[in-house]
Amino acid sequence: MSVRVLNPNAEVLNKSAALHMTINAAKGLHDVLKSNLGPKGTIKMLVGGSGDIKLTKDGNTLLKEMVSPIE
């Protein structure tokens, strides 16, 4: 399989930007989850757009709520 690049500079810039965005997203998840896990984990308060409040210490729930709005 061969890849044909019409503009080599644009391809490199797009790869670099995507890599930086992915790394920053992973760092953000790490910062949120590291204080939530383990025996000394803290409870997080999630506030939805309509003011709904949910408290959780469960990492799975936290990730699901970060992706979807609080119902």
Side-chain angles (χ1 to χ4, degrees), residues 20-65:
H20 288 294
M21 186 179 296
T22 302
I23 290 171
N24 287 334
K27 285 180 180 179
L29 282 174
H30 174 261
D31 289 342
V32 169
L33 290 176
K34 74 178 178 182
S35 64
N36 200 54
L37 302 173
K40 295 183 179 181
T42 57
I43 294 175
K44 299 287 190 256
M45 180 176 14
L46 306 171
V47 181
S50 62
D52 298 335
I53 297 174
K54 183 179 275 190
L55 299 174
T56 184
K57 188 178 174 188
D58 179 31
N60 186 34
T61 302
L62 183 61
L63 287 174
K64 284 182 182 178
E65 294 297 333

